[in-house]
Amino acid sequence: MSLNLAAMLREAARVDPTKPVVLFDGGQLSYAELDALSDCFATGLRREGIRPADAVGLQLPNLPQFLIAYFGILKAGSVVVPLNVLLRAPEIAYHLRDSEARALITWSGTAVEAAKGAADVGVDRIWVVNTPGTSEVSVGRPFEELLGGEQPDRPFFVETEPGDTAVIIYTSGTTGRPKGAELSHFQLYMNADTPGRLFGVRADDIVMVVLPLFHVFGLSSELNVCVRFGATMSLVPRFSADKVLEVIQRDGVTIFEGVPTMYIALLNHPRIDDYDLSSLRVGISGGAAIPAEVIDEFEQRFGFVILEGYGMSETASTTTFNVSAEERKIYSVGKPIWGVEVEIWSDQGQPLPTGPEHVGEVVVRGVNTPKGYYKNPEATAEAFAGGWFHTGDLGWADEDGFFFIVDRKKDLIIRGGYNVYPREVEEVLYSHPSVAEAAVVGVPHDLLGEDIKAYVELKKGATATEAELINYVKERLAAYKYPRTVEFRNELPKGATGKILKESLKQPSTN
Ligand code: AMP
């Protein structure tokens, strides 16, 4: 039996060739066009000596070329290594070396940095997408070169086994070096098929794709899901509330997927009511805990439901999901998706009973676990201790089978021997009317080991003092949990996906 993930594109193009697969500023591509262009790309790679199972770095923002290259690499039977566009030369070198990449696709905005990194590790095949607004660069060769030349004998498709690696995706690596999770064609297919059904994605949907495609949430839960169900993507290269609102109205977006900070930024947009958002029928949130206030306010004001799910790079995205407004539980990340088992384990590797008093590590087994970490048997063995994949997240389960994530294991604050979950403190801060964004971290303390500090961004025009916020939390949580200091920032630092970067918050303030 063979399975190549790119079969999803071939099938969708067969069902409805003229249907737009992607809308972007100034144009669109149909399913048939993307199918043909990615065939050409695969042929181009082969012409250039890239063989099946070779890794190819893919460092592009959300441009249509991302889709062409992604499916082209897959069709060539090669392995996609998505790379964050914010990476600097030494990081690019690290990722290319670690994944043993033989080529790199990048764009003019990062090409100079990328070329430096690639040169360090001897990767000399670089193709660059030149986009308007960035200065044309002279490194690498034009992307279009791979599409030209002899037309391929269609259909171009290298047969792959379901268990072959399709994508090596690097973990965010906030501790230690990023690790390359090996995701198979089968794992990715399953994580397009099942979540797409649960999200209710239909061929007539227009899904906003503003999450970066180089991250698993965008790649798996948006791109793969849309192509699996023949839907249309509305591509936005970089998040800004203005742009997102404009595009929702322009394209009649029906599904919005985002991380919580995106929903917060939209809600706090001063002119959100000027836009027609009536086409939206569902919002999907993941990547971090979404404050209950945000869900409530969105749903009340705009009349569409926000469903929360949970997942990570290694699980090719979705692991649990709240399938509908009727069945969900607020604060919960929902139930395991089809073919996936989730348990809560103690530090000794024993399954824990249900109930909020039994917080332990979330472990996963099933169709969405990775093959392992590329060339890293120690990390793979550690992650799969006891036969289940260890997520590094802490959570608990209730008697109805719903899961609750309390925090990342490494974000847990231990203050004088007491466990404090930052998320619980953040939830309270978010309920304060002046708070736009909040992040709670542990800071070193001589006597207590760690103490609690909150970083807060206030809503535009709103005021609050440090003492006021401390008291506000103190009145609502046990005495060991309230923040002892609050630092105000104009903006909280975020990674490319929009998640708040707690590690960099601990660095001295720059604003
Ligand atoms: P990444 O691999 O970058 O996608 O990060 C995955 C991590 O994001 C998980 O291990 C969780 O810590 C966090 N995460 C994802 N979804 C949620 C959610 N709904 N609630 C809380 N944390 C989440």
Side-chain angles (χ1 to χ4, degrees):
M1 189 189 40
S2 65
L3 173 72
N4 186 317
L5 190 63
M8 299 191 305
L9 173 60
R10 175 65 35 82
E11 293 304 320
R14 198 153 60 182
V15 173
D16 199 347
T18 58
K19 172 83 175 291
V21 57
V22 64
L23 312 173
F24 48 93
D25 276 346
Q28 61 178 58
L29 275 183
S30 70
Y31 268 96
E33 284 167 329
L34 179 61
D35 196 27
L37 285 165
S38 51
D39 275 354
C40 294
F41 195 89
T43 313
L45 286 178
R46 189 157 66 171
R47 200 170 50 234
E48 294 288 341
I50 305 298
R51 298 178 311 249
D54 282 348
V56 179
L58 178 53
Q59 191 190 27
L60 292 179
N62 289 1
L63 300 169
Q65 287 90 342
F66 187 107
L67 279 65
I68 298 170
Y70 175 68
F71 286 111
I73 298 167
L74 292 173
K75 285 178 175 181
S78 307
V79 176
V80 181
V81 183
L83 297 175
N84 190 321
V85 293
L86 300 176
L87 296 181
R88 311 291 300 177
E91 297 166 306
I92 293 165
Y94 168 79
H95 286 89
L96 294 178
R97 185 189 301 112
D98 192 73
S99 62
E100 300 178 295
R102 300 197 58 228
L104 175 65
I105 316 298
T106 187
W107 70 301
S108 41
T110 49
V112 173
E113 204 66 22
K116 261 193 262 169
D120 279 354
V121 288
V123 172
D124 55 5
R125 275 172 279 200
I126 303 178
W127 287 279
V128 181
V129 176
N130 275 299
T131 57
T134 54
S135 44
E136 189 115 345
V137 288
S138 53
V139 295
R141 290 144 69 190
F143 180 87
E144 295 71 22
E145 237 181 53
L146 277 174
L147 300 174
E150 250 173 73
Q151 289 309 299
D153 301 331
R154 299 196 60 202
F156 187 106
F157 226 94
V158 170
E159 296 291 329
T160 47
E161 298 293 317
D164 285 348
T165 303
V167 171
I168 298 178
I169 196 154
Y170 279 80
T171 56
S172 356
T174 38
T175 49
R177 288 285 204 159
K179 297 187 290 267
E182 275 191 83
L183 315 181
S184 69
H185 288 268
F186 177 70
Q187 183 191 1
L188 285 159
Y189 175 76
M190 290 307 295
N191 226 306
D193 191 66
T194 308
R197 289 176 204 282
L198 296 176
F199 300 171
V201 174
R202 309 182 302 235
D204 61 353
D205 270 316
I206 314 243
V207 180
M208 164 146 298
V209 178
V210 62
L211 289 160
L213 288 170
F214 54 75
H215 183 266
V216 77
F217 195 176
L219 189 77
S220 194
S221 309
E222 297 194 314
L223 168 54
N224 288 345
V225 160
C226 283
V227 173
R228 167 68 189 89
F229 291 95
T232 300
M233 287 171 266
S234 180
L235 221 51
V236 176
R238 211 156 65 94
F239 179 83
S240 88
D242 280 315
K243 183 72 188 171
V244 162
L245 291 169
E246 177 197 315
V247 174
I248 292 173
Q249 180 172 298
R250 181 194 75 192
D251 293 346
V253 170
T254 56
I255 299 183
F256 180 83
E257 298 186 33
V259 293
T261 53
M262 292 180 180
Y263 288 97
I264 293 167
L266 291 174
L267 266 185
N268 291 328
H269 190 280
R271 293 188 323 282
I272 187 170
D273 293 320
D274 295 351
Y275 292 88
D276 177 7
L277 307 183
S278 60
S279 56
L280 284 169
R281 63 183 178 82
V282 64
I284 290 167
S285 178
I290 184 159
E293 271 68 30
V294 175
I295 297 189
D296 277 356
E297 200 180 331
F298 236 102
E299 294 187 350
Q300 275 168 24
R301 278 178 61 188
F302 302 105
F304 70 89
V305 62
I306 296 180
L307 301 173
E308 183 175 7
Y310 159 77
M312 61 198 311
S313 303
E314 288 90 331
T315 59
S317 210
T318 318
T319 299
T320 61
F321 191 63
N322 277 291
V323 292
S324 68
E326 295 71 36
E327 289 172 66
R328 73 169 164 192
K329 292 193 184 183
I330 299 277
Y331 291 114
S332 166
V333 293
K335 292 183 181 180
I337 64 169
W338 189 93
V340 172
E341 290 174 275
V342 181
E343 286 187 355
I344 304 293
W345 283 11
S346 69
D347 286 345
Q348 291 71 39
Q350 297 300 318
L352 290 171
T354 54
E357 66 281 22
H358 296 295
V359 170
E361 182 164 9
V362 180
V363 296
V364 183
R365 185 168 76 171
V367 295
N368 73 339
T369 50
K371 292 171 73 173
Y373 294 109
Y374 189 58
K375 283 192 321 187
N376 197 339
E378 297 81 29
T380 303
E382 197 184 323
F384 280 100
W388 291 59
F389 180 77
H390 292 247
T391 61
D393 290 313
L394 294 171
W396 58 278
D398 74 6
E399 287 187 347
D400 302 327
F402 282 80
F403 283 82
F404 295 78
I405 303 297
V406 295
D407 237 307
R408 287 187 190 216
K409 227 171 161 177
K410 66 178 176 49
D411 287 341
L412 172 72
I413 304 170
I414 304 179
R415 181 181 187 275
Y418 287 95
N419 285 358
V420 179
Y421 301 113
R423 180 184 173 186
E424 193 184 1
V425 187
E426 288 159 7
E427 282 278 349
V428 175
L429 285 166
Y430 273 111
S431 71
H432 188 283
S434 299
V435 172
E437 284 181 359
V440 169
V441 299
V443 288
H445 188 280
D446 287 345
L447 294 176
L448 298 164
E450 277 186 295
D451 209 344
I452 304 162
K453 176 166 183 176
Y455 290 86
V456 168
E457 177 187 330
L458 293 176
K459 288 183 183 163
K460 280 209 171 57
T463 53
T465 63
E466 179 177 20
E468 182 185 336
L469 290 185
I470 290 175
N471 275 326
Y472 182 80
V473 183
K474 201 172 168 182
E475 283 165 12
R476 290 165 174 82
L477 290 179
Y480 64 93
K481 293 180 182 171
Y482 69 85
R484 271 37 186 195
T485 46
V486 175
E487 186 176 322
F488 293 99
R489 293 274 180 106
N490 295 335
E491 206 180 328
L492 298 187
K494 300 192 187 69
T497 42
K499 290 197 213 186
I500 296 172
L501 297 174
K502 291 197 170 175
E503 291 304 312
S504 62
L505 267 176
K506 296 178 186 168
Q507 313 301 321
S509 168
T510 48
N511 65 41

